[in-house]
Amino acid sequence: MTSMKSAAFGALLACGSSPALAACNISDAQLEEAILQKPELLDPQNRYLVHDLRALRDAAFLLWSYGLESGCERLLGNIRELIAAPSMGKLGTSDEDAADQQLAAGEPQWHRLGQIKGTRGTPHEGALISINDLDPGLLTNEIVGAEVRTSDDKIVGEVRNVIIGTKDRQDYVIVASGGFFVPGKKSLVVPLRYLFIDQKRKSFFLRISNAQVKAVPLMPDQKYLWLTDKKWRETNDAIFKSLIPDPAPDQSDRKPAAGRAQ
């Protein structure tokens, strides 16, 4: 979101300052103060609400930066309503089909499974690097939202979430080819150690083909109940192990690496 703010601020400077831009005062929403002072917003169950409120505040900033003060004010009004009554966050529709239909228009086209070919095979691109051998490591915002491709360079989807430190020390990424900002109905649960990344750190790769991806089961539920389903996880992990005969070592066996390419 920082880059979005920077771009908007750059556009604002390019257009010159305007007295009208002061009409919508985003700081009046006092969101961060409310987070510290309102117990409901500190409840772990409301983390997504806090995330959404910050996203709405950033959207208000964009409206303000483009001179759309009335839209900015209306959005700030919505933010104030949600801050005053966090329970409103549970009043939205529970119709997943309706939500998917509304969000379909915003789905980036390159997320469509297998339709867009990448850039592997270009001169001097360098070998892929195992996640376990990556040095320096990755920031969370370099993982979430990044595209994931197959060994034959077809798009699988993007990383929507990361699960760190399960009881058996298995880490996962949730790779989705459907939905928007959420896991999506067509999500794969990929053990993190099976991911590779290109030298430019732009795309992640699985060492399986587009055809083999179809053998991997979809994530069985959107509430992550499968995390406590040991049998399902073992079956899912075994499929990746069978498809990739030479996986990177497990986290429990990991030794300091020098960042060597695979």
Side-chain angles (χ1 to χ4, degrees):
M1 197 62 71
T2 302
S3 59
M4 179 183 71
K5 289 181 178 179
S6 300
F9 189 64
L12 176 63
L13 293 178
C15 295
S17 59
S18 170
L21 291 178
C24 180
N25 192 337
I26 297 171
S27 63
D28 282 349
Q30 296 186 321
L31 173 58
E32 298 304 324
E33 292 85 348
I35 292 172
L36 293 175
Q37 298 171 11
K38 205 168 188 67
E40 297 96 322
L41 295 180
L42 293 174
D43 190 326
Q45 293 185 349
N46 282 328
R47 284 174 180 167
Y48 279 104
L49 174 59
V50 172
H51 178 273
D52 292 342
L53 285 169
R54 285 174 171 150
L56 289 172
R57 182 184 57 191
D58 289 338
F61 175 84
L62 282 179
L63 290 171
W64 173 82
S65 68
Y66 284 105
L68 301 174
E69 297 85 8
S70 60
C72 175
E73 278 292 353
R74 285 194 296 271
L75 191 50
L76 286 184
N78 296 142
I79 293 172
R80 294 186 189 100
E81 286 184 73
L82 288 168
I83 290 175
S87 59
M88 289 179 63
K90 300 178 181 178
L91 299 180
T93 179
S94 59
D95 188 333
E96 293 185 4
D97 291 334
D100 287 344
Q101 184 179 6
Q102 291 282 21
L103 295 170
E107 182 71 10
Q109 290 300 303
W110 58 265
H111 292 169
R112 307 306 184 189
L113 180 62
Q115 289 187 356
I116 304 298
K117 186 169 173 55
T119 58
R120 294 298 294 171
T122 58
H124 312 298
E125 66 184 353
L128 297 177
I129 305 171
S130 168
I131 286 293
N132 279 8
D133 291 337
L134 198 60
D135 186 20
L138 291 166
L139 300 176
T140 303
N141 61 8
E142 292 179 286
I143 301 175
V144 176
E147 66 177 20
V148 179
R149 293 183 169 276
T150 59
S151 59
D152 46 353
D153 208 8
K154 299 293 184 64
I155 187 71
V156 178
E158 69 173 27
V159 178
R160 297 289 169 83
N161 215 338
V162 181
I163 298 169
I164 301 296
T166 57
K167 187 176 181 180
D168 55 6
R169 304 190 69 178
Q170 182 73 282
D171 303 329
Y172 297 98
V173 292
I174 307 304
V175 180
S177 59
F180 192 67
F181 295 138
V182 292
K185 292 184 177 180
K186 297 181 179 179
S187 300
L188 304 181
V189 179
V190 181
L192 182 62
R193 70 179 187 270
Y194 289 107
L195 283 183
F196 287 74
I197 193 169
D198 61 9
Q199 296 281 342
K200 294 182 179 180
R201 299 189 173 204
K202 177 183 177 182
S203 302
F204 291 104
F205 289 82
L206 291 171
R207 286 294 179 91
I208 58 178
S209 69
N210 189 48
Q212 289 174 310
V213 166
K214 295 175 175 36
V216 180
L218 297 178
M219 188 169 72
D221 69 272
Q222 308 299 306
K223 296 182 179 180
Y224 296 90
L225 300 178
W226 55 267
L227 276 170
T228 59
D229 188 340
K230 184 177 180 181
K231 183 177 179 180
W232 186 89
R233 287 177 53 205
E234 287 178 345
T235 300
N236 180 74
D237 298 352
I239 290 174
F240 278 97
K241 187 174 182 179
S242 67
L243 292 173
I244 307 175
D246 55 343
D250 203 326
Q251 292 292 331
S252 58
D253 301 326
R254 183 177 177 182
K255 297 179 180 180
R260 62 183 183 277
Q262 299 297 306

